[in-house]
Amino acid sequence: MLMENAGSPPCAPQHGAPACCVAVLRRSGEALVWQYTRTHTKKGKRKTPPARAVTRGTPMPAAALPRGVQAVLVTSGQLRNLDPQLQVPPLLLANTLIAAFSRAALPRLAFPLLRHLLRRARPLRPDAFTFPPLIRAAPAHASAAQLHACALRLGLLRPCVFASGSLVHAYLRFGCVEEAYGVFDEMPGRDLPAWNAMLSGLCRNACGAEAVRLLGRMAGEGVAGDSVTVSSVLPMCALLGDWVLALVMHVYAVKHGLDRELFVCNAMIDVYGKLGMLEEARRVFDGMERRDLVTWNSIISGYEQGGQAAAAVKMFHGMRDSGVSPDVLTLVSLASAIAQCGDDRGGKSVHCYVTRRGWDVGDIIAGNAMVDMYAKLSKIEAAQRMFEIMPVRDAVSWNTLITGYMQNGLANEAIEAYGCMQKHEGLKPIQGTIVSVLPAYSQLGALQQGMRMHALSVKTGFNLDVYLADAMLFFEKMPKRSRSTGPWNAIMAGLGVHGHAAEALSVFSRMQQEGVNPDHVTFVSLLAACSHAGLVDQGRSFFDMMRITYGIIPIAKHYACMVDMLGRVGQLQEAFDFIHNMPIKPDSAVWGALLGACRIHGNVEMGKVVSQNLFELDPENVGYYVLMSNMYAKVGKWDGVDEVRSLVRHQNLGEKISECVYSGNQTEPHPQHEEIQAELQNLLAKMRSIGYVPDYSFVLQDVEEDEKQHILNNHSERLAIAFGIINTPPRTPLHIYKNLRVCGDCHNATKYISKITEREIIVRDSNRFHHFKHGHCSCGDFW
């Protein structure tokens, strides 16, 4: 049967027929027939029986081989055969089959051939061409080590640079850097491919410092690199954040005449973009004689990641004008740039382009990009719809949605999405998951859940990642060379939201001193810190620095921070003029910041104008109606309250309003209602005795004075504080979360309570953290 298969005319198997590999070795009266067959079960699953060898002691009839062919290999219907006129030596025949099986990713067929050569009655000694394909096909480190030992025993390594080079490749493929170095150092004559193999392997294993040292050693031995050398080392420059090395490699490429090669130029643009060296990237781009899709993607991505979104969009139009069609990666960068520009119309155009090509449901990367784009455009409902229609979702998809919720201030939704990810999809959290969820717990003040997430990061080993080092202790322990913009931004944002603006600005100075270039997120953190602390002059300085010094074009978030900063200190008219002079259309976050300032400072007339803009931009956001109604109530304009309520009824938002407004009069009182009220009365008496005077301007109902006192005393944060006091040991810190801004009277009362009870009370409101201790607050009464 086997002889008939070997000798019959080869033909491609019919659909559904078994695919087979048949190899025949023949040498002076001895024949080896090797058969490997793949069959299909009734259910369509492939069944792979082991390869088997049959050795005949009698000569194989010439008729068994078609026209004297010495070897026949049929793989999945593809016939490979040697020249029928050649008389092939058996070792060459064996090497040919080993190489063929290795290229076909069939190591289970290649390795037995080597064993057969070594165990024959008259063994054939392998040569320099036997081992390289076997080593390249090694499925694991153990297999590579066994081949290494065998080649050493046969004395085939020192005279054979091919086998040694293959071992270097294999060891580095399995992350065995020391073993690879051992083979490399013992090579008697290292050619350029050997050096490149070692360099590229070190780079793939993120051994940037080792790669740089090896490059210096290579130059010291007088070996001139080529395009592979330069293209292998350039990515390490970005990984190490070493802009000096990037420039050195550029000079190296020019010196050796490699700066005109497309592959090298693309690598240089990519690295310069990742390092934020956009002028250098543009010079390389402009000097290129030929550009391909990778070239355009690299320069667009560089501008987008560097915060120059408008330039990225302009480059995209230049790409289209040059006749180069974009791919998915192009659209990913473009979508992010469009979002940074706050261009709703452009976002819809990108989505339409993606939809026409079927990428929205056919490519998970494109789908994730659309979710991210809509979230950054504050179109969270559109982001959620895009997420829901994706037929396949991975951990990145969920991380993008969770991050989108956080970017839009929806911490509860972010945590709920994380629960769905674990419950319904069964996906394990990855680094990005923890990075996305931790801020949600932070915003809610959920310390215990945050600690559990931290424990999970330690258990899974993610705590060593630079993006998770967002607490000061972790930050200080991080190696300086590992601090990219992410950790710096995280620590500045954290310090700012906890009221430590001076420390945040000090961290920024250190960031500059260590040569780390800020990005657009850096300045969002800085401006927010200045806003929380009322540092208007410093905020203006940072806004100008962002545009002039670093060439970062402000986006809506930066403008919102500036409006919030001016509004908090009472410069409402300047904030209003600032909005009208913006080069981009103000979004709801910008107008919302001004409306909040109008409420704080009681400017009802400006608040009315601002609210009209908000009602047009986001007519279904009930928070704006509540804020405007409260503003009228604070100054006693009850006709204005009625006007807003009428508008709410006209918009059919009554149900949403009822969900939003908190009432102290619950239909079913808390089980500890009497104890809580008794504690509140006890605290009120003690507070009055040391100087507390209620501020009734924060009562937004038209009622008598004694009723106003009752309303103030039943504000949600006071109820929570009283509940905590009666249910925890003395002097235990209390953590309170409030989804609205703390009112001025409650803020004042909480300072008194912290002094009376000798407790630290940490309140997370909609804007920031307040740390009350010994009668003082970390915000300095400015929030």
Side-chain angles (χ1 to χ4, degrees):
M1 176 68 177
L2 293 177
M3 306 300 280
E4 291 173 357
N5 284 344
S8 58
C11 60
Q14 300 298 318
H15 180 71
C20 63
C21 301
V22 180
V24 181
L25 275 71
R26 182 183 181 195
R27 180 177 182 268
S28 62
E30 181 179 289
L32 172 67
V33 180
W34 210 273
Q35 176 172 329
Y36 175 81
T37 305
R38 291 176 178 173
T39 59
H40 295 267
T41 64
K42 292 181 179 179
K43 293 183 179 180
K45 295 183 178 180
R46 190 164 62 190
K47 182 180 180 182
T48 306
R52 54 198 178 98
V54 180
T55 303
R56 307 292 192 202
T58 57
M60 182 182 299
L65 296 176
R67 296 166 51 191
V69 173
Q70 297 292 328
V72 177
L73 177 64
V74 183
T75 307
S76 299
Q78 302 254 339
L79 174 66
R80 310 248 192 253
N81 65 298
L82 301 178
D83 189 335
Q85 303 303 320
L86 294 178
Q87 295 297 318
V88 183
L91 182 57
L92 175 57
L93 183 59
N95 287 346
T96 302
L97 293 171
I98 287 174
F101 282 130
S102 298
R103 284 194 300 271
L106 298 172
R108 285 181 293 176
L109 299 184
F111 288 119
L113 280 171
L114 174 63
R115 287 194 291 269
H116 172 74
L117 292 178
L118 298 174
R119 294 175 182 174
R120 289 164 51 98
R122 288 178 290 176
L124 287 174
R125 179 184 174 83
D127 61 9
F129 297 97
T130 308
F131 280 91
L134 287 169
I135 294 170
R136 285 194 293 268
H141 168 257
S143 304
Q146 290 173 356
L147 291 168
H148 185 182
C150 185
L152 275 175
R153 189 170 65 250
L154 295 171
L156 295 176
L157 281 188
R158 283 192 171 275
C160 178
V161 69
F162 303 112
S164 297
S166 297
L167 277 170
V168 169
H169 268 295
Y171 279 134
L172 289 171
R173 180 157 52 94
F174 301 122
C176 305
V177 176
E178 292 185 7
E179 288 91 332
Y181 256 123
V183 176
F184 180 79
D185 290 336
E186 291 178 1
M187 293 175 68
R190 289 181 286 271
D191 57 1
L192 182 57
W195 286 97
N196 285 341
M198 195 69 200
L199 275 172
S200 62
L202 288 172
C203 294
R204 285 196 304 273
N205 285 276
C207 301
E210 286 291 332
V212 173
R213 281 193 288 269
L214 186 66
L215 183 65
R217 177 180 163 188
M218 177 180 173
E221 294 188 16
V223 180
D226 60 3
S227 60
V228 177
T229 311
V230 177
S231 301
S232 297
V233 178
L234 276 172
M236 283 297 98
C237 304
L239 182 65
L240 296 171
D242 193 337
W243 60 271
V244 175
L245 180 59
L247 293 174
V248 169
M249 292 307 301
H250 192 168
V251 172
Y252 185 94
V254 173
K255 180 179 178 181
H256 292 83
L258 304 172
D259 58 320
R260 295 295 177 184
E261 294 197 21
L262 179 64
F263 190 65
V264 173
C265 289
N266 288 345
M268 284 194 292
I269 293 173
D270 180 66
V271 170
Y272 280 140
K274 289 177 178 176
L275 291 172
M277 303 168 69
L278 299 180
E279 291 183 5
E280 289 79 0
R282 184 58 185 265
R283 277 197 291 269
V284 174
F285 178 85
D286 290 339
M288 294 176 66
E289 298 175 356
R290 184 169 66 90
R291 304 183 184 107
D292 62 1
L293 177 61
V294 177
T295 312
W296 287 100
N297 282 350
S298 298
I299 193 69
I300 293 172
S301 175
Y303 277 123
E304 177 268 319
Q305 292 178 11
Q308 296 193 20
V313 175
K314 185 177 180 180
M315 291 302 297
F316 172 75
H317 292 306
M319 173 185 179
R320 296 297 305 277
D321 293 341
S322 68
V324 178
S325 297
D327 64 357
V328 171
L329 296 181
T330 317
L331 271 297
V332 169
S333 297
L334 179 64
S336 179
I338 290 291
Q340 289 183 42
C341 293
D343 186 358
D344 292 347
R345 184 177 179 182
K348 293 178 181 177
S349 297
V350 172
H351 192 179
C352 289
Y353 190 95
V354 169
T355 302
R356 284 199 304 270
R357 281 153 183 77
W359 291 341
D360 55 336
V361 294
D363 192 295
I364 194 170
I365 296 176
N368 293 343
M370 293 300 98
V371 174
D372 180 66
M373 180 188 71
Y374 279 123
K376 288 178 178 175
L377 287 170
S378 300
K379 304 291 183 182
I380 193 62
E381 292 183 357
Q384 188 171 355
R385 285 195 299 270
M386 182 67 228
F387 177 83
E388 290 172 351
I389 67 172
M390 292 173 63
V392 179
R393 297 186 287 254
D394 59 6
V396 176
S397 310
W398 284 96
N399 295 346
T400 304
L401 181 66
I402 292 169
T403 303
Y405 281 132
M406 286 305 304
Q407 290 169 343
N408 288 273
L410 302 172
N412 284 316
E413 287 80 355
I415 293 173
E416 183 179 347
Y418 173 61
C420 291
M421 171 185 173
Q422 292 181 299
K423 182 178 180 181
H424 300 297
E425 300 272 345
L427 294 172
K428 294 182 179 179
I430 60 175
Q431 164 210 312
T433 312
I434 298 175
V435 172
S436 301
V437 176
L438 272 175
Y441 289 130
S442 173
Q443 183 170 325
L444 294 175
L447 180 61
Q448 296 300 321
Q449 292 91 329
M451 291 174 66
R452 283 198 290 270
M453 183 61 73
H454 181 200
L456 175 62
S457 74
V458 174
K459 181 180 178 181
T460 54
F462 293 148
N463 62 308
L464 301 179
D465 191 282
V466 296
Y467 296 102
L468 288 175
D470 56 354
M472 202 68 192
L473 176 62
F474 290 149
F475 181 81
E476 295 296 348
K477 288 183 178 180
M478 290 169 60
K480 289 185 178 181
R481 63 182 179 85
S482 298
R483 295 178 186 168
S484 62
T485 54
W488 288 100
N489 295 343
I491 200 66
M492 281 186 280
L495 289 169
V497 79
H498 283 275
H500 305 295
E503 290 86 344
L505 304 191
S506 177
V507 168
F508 177 66
S509 296
R510 288 174 53 193
M511 176 181 178
Q512 290 179 302
Q513 292 169 7
E514 293 189 15
V516 180
N517 287 327
D519 58 14
H520 65 283
V521 179
T522 309
F523 286 99
V524 170
S525 301
L526 284 171
L527 292 173
C530 292
S531 177
H532 286 305
L535 305 177
V536 177
D537 292 338
Q538 291 92 326
R540 286 196 181 101
S541 176
F542 285 129
F543 189 77
D544 293 337
M545 179 191 298
M546 172 181 64
R547 296 180 295 119
I548 299 170
T549 306
Y550 292 101
I552 299 174
I553 299 175
I555 59 176
K557 287 184 179 179
H558 298 115
Y559 289 109
C561 287
M562 288 295 294
V563 171
D564 184 63
M565 180 177 63
L566 294 170
R568 283 175 186 270
V569 298
Q571 298 180 13
L572 300 181
Q573 188 59 49
E574 185 175 350
F576 190 80
D577 294 340
F578 180 85
I579 292 176
H580 280 284
N581 292 326
M582 286 171 51
I584 63 174
K585 182 180 178 180
D587 62 5
S588 57
V590 174
W591 286 114
L594 184 55
L595 182 61
C598 291
R599 186 227 183 270
I600 294 171
H601 297 285
N603 193 327
V604 178
E605 294 306 316
M606 184 178 289
K608 187 174 182 179
V609 175
V610 173
S611 65
Q612 292 301 321
N613 286 280
L614 283 167
F615 296 159
E616 291 177 7
L617 283 171
D618 196 0
E620 295 187 2
N621 190 321
V622 298
Y624 302 139
Y625 298 92
V626 173
L627 195 58
M628 196 63 211
S629 175
N630 292 346
M631 194 183 308
Y632 281 126
K634 185 176 180 179
V635 296
K637 291 189 174 183
W638 303 109
D639 54 341
V641 174
D642 293 337
E643 182 183 342
V644 174
R645 289 177 177 173
S646 175
L647 186 60
V648 167
R649 287 192 294 271
H650 179 71
Q651 296 287 349
N652 295 319
L653 298 175
E655 184 177 345
K656 290 187 177 181
I657 288 286
S658 65
E659 294 173 2
C660 218
V661 177
Y662 175 82
S663 172
N665 301 319
Q666 301 297 316
T667 55
E668 294 185 10
H670 190 274
Q672 292 181 281
H673 173 73
E674 293 183 3
E675 295 93 327
I676 292 173
Q677 291 298 322
E679 181 62 29
L680 285 172
Q681 292 302 320
N682 179 43
L683 288 172
L684 180 60
K686 292 180 179 180
M687 287 159 53
R688 287 181 179 274
S689 68
I690 58 175
Y692 166 72
V693 178
D695 186 349
Y696 294 140
S697 68
F698 290 97
V699 177
L700 305 178
Q701 286 92 351
D702 187 14
V703 294
E704 299 297 327
E705 188 168 301
D706 58 341
E707 181 65 17
K708 290 181 179 179
Q709 177 62 74
H710 174 74
I711 291 172
L712 282 179
N713 222 34
N714 280 274
H715 275 189
S716 58
E717 53 266 56
R718 295 201 206 185
L719 293 170
I721 291 171
F723 174 81
I725 290 173
I726 65 177
N727 286 285
T728 59
R731 299 185 180 182
T732 302
L734 299 179
H735 296 262
I736 310 296
Y737 169 71
K738 180 178 176 65
N739 63 346
L740 300 174
R741 185 179 184 272
V742 172
C743 84
D745 185 73
C746 286
H747 189 274
N748 189 35
T750 307
K751 290 195 295 183
Y752 280 102
I753 295 172
S754 70
K755 185 175 183 179
I756 293 168
T757 60
E758 297 184 346
R759 290 175 182 256
E760 180 179 9
I761 303 174
I762 302 169
V763 179
R764 175 61 161 108
D765 71 357
S766 60
N767 291 322
R768 61 180 299 158
F769 281 92
H770 298 263
H771 295 257
F772 297 92
K773 195 172 184 179
H774 305 308
H776 300 282
C777 180
S778 60
C779 73
D781 297 336
F782 183 88
W783 73 101

